[in-house]
Amino acid sequence: MDISGKTKICGVIGNPIQHTLSPTIQNAAFNHLNLDFIFLAFKVRPAELEMAIQGMRSLDIHGLNVTMPHKNKVINYLDEIDSTVESLNSANTIVNKKGRLLGFSTDGIGAVKALQENGVDLSSSKVVLLGAGGAGRAIAFSIADKVKDLIVLNRDIKKVKNLELDLKLKFDKNIHYETLSQDSIQKNLRSSDLLINATNVGMGPNSKLSIVDPKLLKSDLTVMDIVYNPLETKLLSDAKIVGAKTINGLEMLIYQGAASFELWTGRKAPIEIMKLATLKQISNKGAFN
Ligand SMILES: NC(=O)c1ccc[n+]([C@@H]2O[C@H](COP(=O)([O-])OP(=O)(O)OC[C@H]3O[C@@H](n4cnc5c(N)ncnc54)[C@H](OP(=O)(O)O)[C@@H]3O)[C@@H](O)[C@H]2O)c1
């Protein structure tokens, strides 16, 4: 990699940020296509978010990914946001277009691509989505008008009720919602063929936990878990045991990163290169340590 005065700088801001896989994903793609770009990770504390975005303008940083805890607040400091960002009230990608900062959200695009590229026909799918946090909202907005049926279950009923109201405004379509419990999962999984976990359960130190009682899983189900640390969550290993099809969180991670890459470079993202580099990084470093 030759860095010069013309090299375009991209990066990710968040806190904590040291375990991010984004530099691996993006630099692999820049190098593969011989693009004069570099991608770095920046730790930005919440109180410093506004200054960091001003810094993006003054240092002429070309593009940023935005991760926790800044996805909502960052939109206050941008010049333009697209309609998805407006609906979600959060952005994960910024493009610096000649000093104007444009905000996008690629999480939903990433989830849809992950499903489609793994052979899921959304138009015939009856979906149970677990979680109405940032990622759950993004997924709900991107699949609501594509699937046959969508039910969203969340522990905090107020959050999922708000999501349902927002979805109805945009799609004029009935979306069902209930409080997340093993009973509501059991009832709704009976007639569903796609289960998506968009909660934190099963992540990191809680990797022995699953949000779904294994007895409720069935072989004719596709199960996508968006948690990517660990890659095979307890939910996915339980799903494999009953013979269900599984899709891990790396798929969505790569496709949302690919959508950001395409916004910054205008080039088609080399998906397999990005995936291989990330798997190599994970196998070298263990469970993201
Ligand atoms: N693969 C990818 O590309 C990708 C992209 C984005 C996020 N993610 C992953 O997705 C997960 C969620 O991220 P997020 O940004 O949506 O986080 P978030 O906004 O904090 O939302 C967390 C969600 O998890 C639920 N939850 C947390 N603990 C729970 C528990 N013990 N029981 C039931 N529900 C529980 C919350 O329910 P309440 O509302 O009731 O609190 C909420 O729905 C994280 O693991 C993140 O790493 C992956």
Side-chain angles (χ1 to χ4, degrees):
M1 175 188 310
D2 285 328
I3 297 173
S4 73
K6 287 185 276 182
T7 303
K8 288 197 160 101
I9 300 168
C10 291
V12 56
I13 56 169
N15 187 21
I17 201 65
Q18 65 269 34
H19 297 303
T20 180
L21 289 167
S22 295
T24 302
I25 297 173
Q26 301 296 345
N27 285 319
F30 294 152
N31 289 339
H32 180 73
L33 295 178
N34 257 326
L35 299 177
D36 193 8
F37 279 66
I38 186 165
F39 191 99
L40 301 164
F42 301 104
K43 176 175 169 178
V44 173
R45 293 173 189 85
E48 289 160 359
L49 178 61
E50 185 173 6
M51 280 192 294
I53 300 301
Q54 277 168 8
M56 180 184 189
R57 287 180 207 276
S58 52
L59 298 174
D60 196 23
I61 290 176
H62 181 71
L64 285 179
N65 272 145
V66 183
T67 187
M68 297 311 287
H70 304 312
K71 286 183 175 188
N72 300 108
K73 208 171 167 205
V74 76
I75 64 177
N76 298 323
Y77 311 121
L78 305 180
D79 299 309
E80 273 178 50
I81 53 172
D82 76 354
S83 64
T84 309
V85 173
E86 200 174 326
S87 302
L88 298 175
N89 199 32
S90 84
N92 76 339
T93 303
I94 309 174
V95 180
N96 184 347
K97 204 169 175 191
K98 294 183 180 148
R100 284 188 68 72
L101 303 187
L102 319 181
F104 302 88
S105 176
T106 64
D107 278 340
I109 301 169
V112 167
K113 269 281 192 188
L115 290 163
Q116 288 171 336
E117 295 294 323
N118 282 280
V120 175
D121 172 17
L122 287 172
S123 64
S124 64
S125 293
K126 293 185 168 182
V127 186
V128 175
L129 171 63
L130 308 178
R137 269 184 82 84
I139 294 171
F141 267 91
S142 61
I143 65 172
D145 63 339
K146 295 184 177 63
V147 298
K148 198 165 183 187
D149 207 8
L150 173 62
I151 172 127
V152 188
L153 307 179
N154 197 58
R155 187 177 57 177
D156 174 350
I157 191 75
K158 280 196 295 277
K159 217 186 262 178
V160 70
K161 191 172 179 190
N162 285 337
L163 169 61
E164 191 258 356
L165 288 171
D166 293 345
L167 284 168
K168 216 183 252 175
L169 279 178
K170 179 142 182 174
F171 297 112
D172 188 26
K173 192 171 162 180
N174 268 339
I175 318 286
H176 309 284
Y177 68 92
E178 282 180 41
T179 306
L180 193 158
S181 68
Q182 293 310 310
D183 284 347
S184 64
I185 295 175
Q186 179 170 35
K187 185 180 86 184
N188 290 292
L189 268 191
R190 267 190 220 120
S191 56
S192 299
D193 35 45
L194 175 59
L195 170 70
I196 303 173
N197 176 39
T199 73
N200 298 328
V201 180
M203 186 175 89
N206 298 318
S207 62
K208 293 206 164 61
L209 300 179
S210 169
I211 191 83
V212 183
D213 183 332
K215 292 196 287 288
L216 307 182
L217 298 168
K218 48 186 190 155
S219 61
D220 59 354
L221 204 58
T222 296
V223 182
M224 177 161 94
D225 198 334
I226 74 161
V227 170
Y228 54 85
N229 173 17
L231 273 189
E232 181 161 297
T233 59
K234 168 96 169 44
L235 171 62
L236 292 187
S237 73
D238 290 343
K240 275 186 185 163
I241 289 168
V242 300
K245 180 185 167 87
T246 60
I247 304 171
N248 69 32
L250 183 66
E251 295 289 308
M252 173 173 160
L253 185 74
I254 296 293
Y255 285 108
Q256 60 83 28
S260 299
F261 173 93
E262 290 175 3
L263 285 166
W264 297 322
T265 64
R267 298 284 298 270
K268 193 164 168 29
I271 298 292
E272 284 312 310
I273 297 292
M274 295 164 113
K275 213 180 264 182
L276 278 174
T278 312
L279 284 170
K280 195 170 156 204
Q281 169 81 352
I282 292 169
S283 70
N284 286 346
K285 299 254 171 172
F288 309 117
N289 289 313

